[in-house]
Amino acid sequence: MDSETSTGHVSRKAVLRAALAAGMAAPVVLMGVPALARTLSAGEAAPALTPECDDGDDPTPPQMEGPYFKPDSPLRTSLLESGTAGVRLTFSGYVFGLACRPISGVLLDFWQADTNGGYDNTGFRFRGHQFTDAQGAFKLTTIVPGLYPGRTRHLHVKIQAPGRPVLTTQLYFPGEPRNNTDSLFDARLLMNVRDAGAAKEAAFDFVLNVPQDPGPSPTPTATTTTQPPGGSWAAGTAYRAGDQVTYGGPAYVCLQAHTGQTGWEPPHVPALWRAL
């Protein structure tokens, strides 16, 4: 999931993710919040903030293709095959343009090393492409890539919006010791990664250099600080990751630090709350 910023506020992209996942419009109070900072491990320096979609900064940074790219990968959302070894990884996110609006039909072509750090250069194991859906979302099922000499763990991807140039880049895992010694490592390309039982879940949102009309400004919605009947969640309350609340009966745990707002009730924003 997208993490909170160093100021403790959730990022604009995190709320857009939540709104898209819930099938609702992003609350107006989110417009203009700081860009997100990726998850850090103990002792790891804070990276530069990922650029906001419409603040005029550069889009997602490019990186070298490397020697192992192959064209014509199969169309698929899962790179797992029968007997695949390794720690399962579910990787998801959205692709945005410069006005922070999701882009549908974007091609994402992924390739990576197997659990032993090897690439399949004769076939298409751990290679595949897909397209973002109508909400600009993608999801890949794979494994955590292995290490090989000189590199830290990483995923490769080529991304192309319809009629636009290709972005080639690499994505990284937080807390990896080799992040400090890999000359290609870029902290702006850190995914957010968390444990999911014996597997892992990762998230990253791409921002492409695609001009967009920002669209009409939504009408502000009044914020209330009253508690909903039968629950401890309340708008206007500052929540930290790990806080637990109830809402309409079920209990929820907070995934990201934020201040509760009307429209962000726990059942509606899976990027901020998870049911227990």
Side-chain angles (χ1 to χ4, degrees):
M1 294 293 181
D2 287 338
S3 65
E4 79 257 25
T5 67
S6 57
T7 61
H9 296 290
V10 70
S11 75
R12 176 194 295 136
K13 281 187 288 185
V15 175
L16 284 170
R17 286 170 56 88
L20 289 166
M24 56 191 294
V28 67
V29 290
L30 259 291
M31 300 304 132
V33 297
L36 68 89
R38 298 294 173 184
T39 304
L40 302 177
S41 61
E44 191 173 356
L49 295 180
T50 298
E52 291 182 272
C53 298
D54 62 355
D55 66 357
D57 284 342
D58 292 333
T60 299
Q63 287 215 314
M64 65 179 292
E65 177 183 283
Y68 302 121
F69 173 70
K70 290 180 59 177
D72 303 320
S73 69
L75 174 64
R76 57 184 176 182
T77 58
S78 175
L79 305 185
L80 301 181
E81 299 176 0
S82 178
T84 296
V87 176
R88 297 296 188 265
L89 174 69
T90 301
F91 172 40
S92 61
Y94 292 87
V95 179
F96 296 104
L98 294 178
C100 218
R101 295 173 60 193
I103 310 174
S104 63
V106 175
L107 168 67
L108 299 103
D109 196 347
F110 295 99
W111 72 103
Q112 67 171 85
D114 63 21
T115 192
N116 297 314
Y119 287 84
D120 180 6
N121 296 317
T122 58
F124 288 94
R125 288 197 319 117
F126 297 110
R127 299 175 184 271
H129 72 273
Q130 60 179 276
F131 296 87
T132 56
D133 65 16
Q135 286 73 46
F138 67 89
K139 186 176 182 180
L140 178 72
T141 304
T142 182
I143 63 165
V144 175
L147 294 167
Y148 59 91
R151 294 303 316 276
T152 190
R153 292 186 206 278
H154 60 281
L155 300 175
H156 293 271
V157 60
K158 286 182 178 287
I159 312 165
Q160 185 176 27
R164 304 294 300 182
V166 175
L167 168 68
T168 301
T169 195
Q170 302 181 35
L171 301 174
Y172 298 97
F173 293 76
E176 288 289 329
R178 290 194 187 180
N179 287 352
N180 297 322
T181 58
D182 188 330
S183 62
L184 294 178
F185 171 75
D186 187 334
R188 295 172 297 174
L189 295 168
L190 278 167
M191 296 180 289
N192 286 310
V193 181
R194 69 177 185 182
D195 293 331
K200 292 186 179 293
E201 295 177 348
F204 189 90
D205 297 328
F206 297 96
V207 180
L208 298 184
N209 187 13
V210 175
Q212 293 176 314
D213 178 354
S217 298
T219 303
T221 302
T223 299
T224 135
T225 57
T226 58
Q227 224 172 258
S232 61
W233 180 90
T237 301
Y239 293 105
R240 303 294 301 177
D243 288 350
Q244 295 186 16
V245 300
T246 56
Y247 184 87
Y252 298 84
V253 61
C254 180
L255 301 177
Q256 304 180 62
H258 68 284
T259 298
Q261 306 282 349
T262 299
W264 297 5
E265 293 83 359
H268 301 153
V269 280
L272 303 180
W273 297 97
R274 184 178 74 243
L276 294 175

